[in-house]
């Protein structure tokens, strides 16, 4: 089977469209379902069908993984997307784009794991407040009307991003979310259509650093700063040697800086 998939990937045309496109990070509706990002969702399914009818059987798109809170998942939007997609293209092969950035609720619970830019707060309570208000760089501004393409404009000047890429907790929980998602897919009615998974995160979900859409740089998060201090302590061998090297006699893990 692997050789068959490799041959398909190397020799067949593919189409990338937008069925399953969600807000980033995920935004849930009043029923706890993930909101899809475009109101013309059905139109994108129709685009898939036109290519399928023309002989293109491999399709790619974003797929909502259903990570809505810590150890909590809702796959309703995923299931509805797959049902609509394969009703239109019944024998298509599929490679979904699975976005592993955490939901707002996770960020709010773990403000020390949130990426902070040079002009952002260092206090976890202030970080949590920004997350709760949705004031996160590179996310959609839900307080303004949608643009012509159906999406709210991006927030590009906020002082925090999503998760710190050095967050081991995020890696752990993202792996759990990925496992839950793939298990749900492979135990569902459309498993035979899947020939691979595109795993991604970060700015534009292309592993770009947060703030890439504007002028922000980081990461000055609590967790990242602590990790930097721990690295430096190991490099210099002792607190005394580190304080001497940095010429900071009052340096501690809590007041260290990147």
């Amino acid at each position: 089977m692997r050789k068959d998939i490799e041959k398909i990937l190397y020799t067949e045309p593919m189409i990338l469209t937008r069925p399953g496109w969600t807000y980033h990070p995920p935004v849930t509706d009043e029923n706890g379902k993930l909101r899809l990002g475009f109101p013309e969702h059905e139109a994108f399914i129709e685009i898939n069908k036109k290519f399928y009818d023309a002989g293109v059987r491999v399709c790619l798109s974003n797929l909502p993984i259903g990570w809505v809170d810590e150890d909590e998942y809702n796959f309703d939007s995923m299931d509805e997307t797959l049902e609509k997609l394969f009703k239109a293209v019944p024998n298509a092969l599929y490679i979904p784009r699975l976005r592993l950035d955490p939901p707002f609720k996770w960020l709010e619970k773990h403000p020390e794991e949130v990426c902070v830019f040079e002009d952002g707060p260092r206090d976890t309570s202030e970080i949590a407040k920004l997350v709760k208000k949705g004031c996160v760089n590179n996310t959609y501004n839900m307080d303004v009307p949608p643009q012509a393409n159906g999406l709210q404009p991006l927030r590009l000047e906020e002082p925090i991003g999503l998760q710190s890429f050095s967050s081991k907790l995020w890696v752990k929980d993202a792996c759990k979310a990925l496992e839950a998602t793939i298990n749900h897919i492979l135990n569902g009615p459309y498993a035979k259509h899947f020939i691979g998974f595109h795993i991604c995160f970060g700015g534009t979900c292309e592993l770009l650093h947060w703030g890439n859409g504007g002028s922000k740089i980081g990461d000055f998060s609590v967790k990242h700063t602590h990790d930097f201090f721990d690295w430096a302590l190991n490099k210099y061998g002792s607190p005394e040697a580190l304080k001497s090297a940095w010429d900071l006699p009052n340096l501690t893990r809590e007041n260290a800086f990147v």
Side-chain angles (χ1 to χ4, degrees):
M1 181 63 181
R2 178 179 175 83
K3 289 295 182 182
D4 293 340
I5 292 175
E6 287 183 358
K7 182 179 179 181
I8 291 168
L9 295 176
Y10 280 113
T11 61
E12 294 201 22
M14 305 178 187
I15 175 177
L16 170 63
T17 60
R18 288 175 170 171
W21 189 291
T22 54
Y23 286 96
H24 187 214
V27 176
T28 53
D29 63 17
E30 62 277 4
N31 298 315
K33 284 175 51 180
L34 292 180
R35 279 186 57 184
L36 297 177
F38 289 91
E40 62 271 30
H41 187 68
E42 304 291 346
F44 293 117
I45 297 287
E46 185 60 29
I47 290 173
N48 278 73
K49 187 176 187 311
K50 289 181 179 179
F51 274 86
Y52 179 77
D53 291 343
V56 180
R57 65 169 178 162
V58 183
C59 56
L60 305 87
S61 75
N62 288 340
L63 188 66
I65 69 169
W67 188 9
V68 296
D69 202 344
E70 193 166 44
D71 296 326
E72 184 179 330
Y73 313 100
N74 184 319
F75 296 114
D76 290 349
S77 292
M78 171 191 287
D79 293 342
E80 289 176 10
T81 297
L82 295 177
E83 181 181 5
K84 292 176 181 178
L85 179 63
F86 294 116
K87 182 178 180 180
V89 292
N91 294 310
L93 302 175
Y94 188 44
I95 304 174
R97 192 183 191 202
L98 305 179
R99 308 165 77 165
L100 296 182
D101 299 311
F104 277 114
K105 291 181 179 179
W106 187 95
L107 296 168
E108 190 177 342
K109 289 176 180 176
H110 304 289
E112 70 282 359
E113 311 285 341
V114 173
C115 171
V116 178
F117 301 121
E118 58 181 344
D119 61 343
R122 303 296 191 264
D123 181 78
T124 54
S125 62
E126 293 300 316
I127 296 169
K129 288 178 183 177
L130 288 172
V131 172
K132 191 168 186 176
K133 292 192 294 183
C135 298
V136 179
N137 191 284
N138 238 37
T139 62
Y140 294 107
N141 188 346
M142 307 301 289
D143 299 326
V144 298
Q147 303 170 101
N149 65 3
L151 286 173
Q152 272 82 9
L154 286 175
R155 295 178 179 269
L156 297 178
E157 298 304 321
E158 303 294 354
I160 63 173
L162 299 183
Q163 79 281 10
S164 170
F165 292 164
S166 66
S167 169
K168 294 180 177 61
L169 179 61
W170 161 63
V171 172
K172 175 185 173 184
D173 285 356
C175 287
K176 289 162 66 177
L178 179 62
E179 180 180 14
T181 298
I182 292 179
N183 284 339
H184 181 80
I185 289 169
L186 297 184
N187 288 306
Y190 306 107
K192 66 180 181 180
H193 296 275
F194 288 76
I195 60 172
F197 298 98
H198 176 184
I199 299 167
C200 55
F201 59 87
T204 69
C205 272
E206 293 167 316
L207 284 63
L208 301 178
H209 64 84
W210 302 122
N212 66 86
S215 58
K216 300 293 185 178
I217 58 173
D219 178 5
F220 299 86
S221 66
V222 174
K223 183 66 172 65
H224 194 68
T225 301
H226 286 172
D227 286 346
F228 179 65
F229 176 84
D230 293 343
W231 170 84
L233 186 61
N234 182 66
K235 174 180 174 62
Y236 289 100
S238 70
E240 291 72 24
L242 176 57
K243 291 176 183 179
S244 176
W246 285 6
D247 193 24
L248 293 170
N250 297 318
L251 179 68
T252 68
R253 193 170 188 263
E254 298 308 316
N255 66 18
F257 59 92
V258 176

